Amino acid sequence: MRDLHHQGLTLFGKQSEARNVVFVVLPQVHLLDLSGPAQVFDTARCMGAPYTLRYSSSQTQQISAQGIVLAELSPLAPVAVDDLILLAGVDWDFASHEKPLLDQETRDWLSSAAKAGAHIASVCTGAFALAEAGLLDGRRCTTHWSQTSVLQARFPKAKVLENVLFVHDGRLTTSAGIASGIDMALGLVQQDQGPMFAAQVARHLVVYLRRNGSQPQSSISLEYRTHLHSGVHQAQDYLINHIAEHVTLDELANVAGISTRGLNRAFKEATGLTPIQYHQRLRIELAATLLSNPALRVEEVALQCGFEDVRHFRRLWQRQFGAPPLQRGHRFAFHRSVER
């Protein structure tokens, strides 16, 4: 696990600055809410992303909801701009419990961290801790489906959303129940390091990153990876790394270690697409990203994505989106600015 970057798993996304990921451990924390995102960021770290993980609390130890004692927790130290703070869900009777979830030290620390410019995220009922600290006032947020109405009733200034996996509102991110914390963590890694890198983290964890319903589309780099065929995974990785290049089926079969006929059959069974179709979709998604730059013309984007015939690019785009490339590109740029 510590040598993932020596096993062909490299940092394909943009190289970001070093970032602290601080897990705030609360009383009665749910283990999977904590360990799921921690595993995502630790795997990303082992693959080359510049993350430093820290587990902090106002107490040196906390007892989890499952009875495991989490000890030698670090103090709630000051955070810097762009640090990521994550609060996992807890076992708490939010409907009738009058006692606050947070002690005064933790509440004040969260407020200071938000003012310092840290990105703050929660898993499941961890959203209640953010609400107690006043961080959800006027913000779009979510929590476990069984607690959304309770969160809204207790904190009427919050804009609680239902039926979403996770919600970004500026430098605040909240997620729904348990497993969606993994989805959220992968989404945050994708923001930092790009979709290709996040796809490799997801693949190593043998999970599929689901997107919330408010996002315009899923990433092709993250889709079609729920299968367990190693040769097809290798072929997909190769195509991701050679999006704009001409790749022959023989070349791809050699990478996958199987015959061309076997690769075609296995690829179709695993993804529902042929290698050519998958390569084309990778190029279309890259084009969508480039078209968010108004300085680039459609013809330039098509060439940069490996399309020698611009008319062919336009036909593929029209077939997939039902609109001309330029129009779709502007919509892409708008959605991405909103998500930020």
Side-chain angles (χ1 to χ4, degrees), residues 291 298 317-318 321-333:
L291 281 171
V298 172
W317 185 284
Q318 183 81 29
F321 296 120
L326 187 59
Q327 177 186 348
R328 181 70 184 181
H330 286 316
R331 288 163 58 191
F332 234 80

Side-chain angles (χ1 to χ4, degrees), residues 258-287:
I258 52 181
S259 67
T260 55
R261 184 175 180 180
L263 175 62
N264 252 332
R265 181 175 62 252
F267 207 103
K268 184 74 173 180
E269 290 175 352
T271 68
L273 302 172
T274 66
I276 293 176
Q277 289 172 330
Y278 182 77
H279 200 187
Q280 287 176 340
R281 292 199 182 187
L282 286 171
R283 289 177 169 182
I284 290 293
E285 181 172 85
L286 175 60

